[in-house]
Amino acid sequence: MSTTTWHTIREASMISGLPESTLRYYEQIGIIAPIARDPSSGHRAYTDEDIQSLVTISCLSATGMPLDAMREYLKNHFDGTEGARRQMALLDAQALRLAAKAESIRMQQAYVSLKTLYWRAVAEGHDDEAQRLLEENHDVIETVKKQIRSKADA
């Protein structure tokens, strides 16, 4: 017979890396199943299995996975090979989101580098070089402007 180890919300938070308020919120919105309560105090009591789920959720959250996708990910765990296929699709979609984010950051870095070169040319009195930099890197500037517009539209 195995015994259950119970953890307080503070311990669950420390182990998972998720703030206590997030643990309560995730329970409230159904990301995690309702947590058992200590009958004497009414406080949440997390099992080792709960903690394992929280660590998974914490990792998914760290990737920026949307809440609906995390919820589905946790449900798929119990669905055998079909669930595994859905897991792969969820993770593939997250990989695409991360790749897009990485590309966005790469363009932002290119913009910062361009502007550094531009202002260096201006500071050294090379206005013609500064203008050439802007003209040659028009695509970088336009891409960053599009990123700004798409964030504003979202």
Side-chain angles (χ1 to χ4, degrees):
M1 179 173 164
S2 65
T3 59
T4 302
T5 303
W6 297 97
H7 303 275
T8 66
I9 193 168
R10 176 166 287 149
E11 291 168 334
S13 173
M14 288 174 33
I15 294 167
S16 68
L18 295 168
E20 292 177 30
S21 59
T22 299
L23 296 179
R24 289 184 196 97
Y25 177 66
Y26 282 179
E27 182 181 357
Q28 179 185 357
I29 65 169
I31 298 291
I32 57 176
I35 300 299
R37 301 292 180 137
D38 180 320
S40 62
S41 68
H43 294 141
R44 287 171 175 83
Y46 294 82
T47 64
D48 288 337
E49 187 177 315
D50 293 330
I51 298 294
Q52 287 176 344
S53 290
L54 293 175
V55 169
T56 297
I57 291 166
S58 181
C59 291
L60 295 173
S61 178
T63 72
M65 183 178 276
L67 294 175
D68 287 342
M70 284 195 289
R71 188 181 290 112
E72 185 178 340
Y73 184 93
L74 293 168
K75 288 179 184 173
N76 289 339
H77 177 73
F78 303 104
D79 291 342
T81 57
E82 186 53 39
R85 286 185 191 92
R86 289 192 307 267
Q87 297 298 60
M88 291 186 305
L90 284 170
L91 293 169
D92 286 345
Q94 185 60 19
L96 288 174
R97 282 189 289 274
L98 290 170
K101 190 174 188 177
E103 176 60 17
S104 176
I105 290 170
R106 191 186 71 72
M107 290 307 299
Q108 292 166 2
Q109 289 174 318
Y111 179 84
V112 168
S113 295
L114 162 65
K115 292 305 266 188
T116 300
L117 292 172
Y118 170 84
W119 287 111
R120 181 172 292 129
V122 169
E124 294 172 357
H126 303 292
D127 292 342
D128 55 335
E129 173 69 9
Q131 189 58 39
R132 185 190 62 76
L133 283 166
L134 292 178
E135 290 168 6
E136 288 180 3
N137 293 283
H138 180 73
D139 59 326
V140 171
I141 295 167
E142 288 305 309
T143 300
V144 172
K145 284 181 183 178
K146 285 179 189 173
Q147 289 176 354
I148 293 167
R149 284 192 295 271
S150 68
K151 282 183 183 179
D153 293 341

